[in-house]
Amino acid sequence: MQDQGRSPRKRTGGRRRANHKKKKHELGRQSTETQVGERKLKVVHSRGNTRKVRAVTSNVASVADGAETVEATIEQVTENPSNPNYARRNIITKGAIVETSEGQARVTSRPGQDGQVNAVLVE
């Protein structure tokens, strides 16, 4: 399980003594690695009686080109600066360069967090 609590290291690099074990609300979830495919969403319940819509797969992106926004189909992930393996596995994350019907676009949204893919055209 991922820990979303305070870091065990101080700013100086020294170790901080833990004053409690991991609490349930400090544990994170497995990341949703959004892939290229037929659009599939998943609703996840989060703290404070709220819900997050996560995109499990998506093949549609809202691509902005200056003033206008067009809905384009995603063909594949060309490159992904966060992880080269993500490009090979067609995983869409923020910052990924995707090949769309409108041309190459950089993803500006977080599909695993808000359930949609927004992008800007790359010249």
Side-chain angles (χ1 to χ4, degrees), residues 4-123:
Q4 305 275 317
R6 193 167 71 167
S7 171
R9 293 208 174 264
K10 299 187 215 174
R11 220 181 313 162
T12 58
R15 291 189 70 84
R16 208 180 252 131
R17 271 185 63 214
N19 55 0
H20 63 79
K21 293 180 182 177
K22 294 176 185 176
K23 306 283 183 183
K24 187 160 196 300
H25 69 267
E26 290 173 343
L27 295 176
R29 285 193 175 96
Q30 191 100 27
S31 63
T32 306
E33 295 178 338
T34 306
Q35 291 189 309
V36 177
E38 195 60 44
R39 191 174 159 95
K40 194 192 296 181
L41 302 174
K42 179 175 155 190
V43 177
V44 176
H45 295 279
S46 57
R47 272 189 92 168
N49 199 22
T50 55
R51 294 183 299 174
K52 280 184 184 179
V53 179
R54 296 188 169 188
V56 179
T57 56
S58 183
N59 59 358
V60 177
S62 297
V63 179
D65 180 24
E68 60 186 51
T69 306
V70 184
E71 201 164 86
T73 56
I74 301 171
E75 280 134 34
Q76 67 173 12
V77 178
T78 314
E79 70 176 275
N80 199 323
S82 64
N83 191 339
N85 290 318
Y86 282 1
R88 292 186 199 119
R89 291 165 54 200
N90 264 352
I91 292 175
I92 309 164
T93 58
K94 183 176 177 174
I97 309 291
V98 291
E99 187 65 47
T100 65
S101 55
E102 299 294 313
Q104 285 202 331
R106 189 179 73 252
V107 178
T108 55
S109 66
R110 296 170 69 193
Q113 296 281 337
D114 24 77
Q116 60 186 12
V117 182
N118 297 333
V120 232
L121 277 180
V122 178
E123 281 76 47

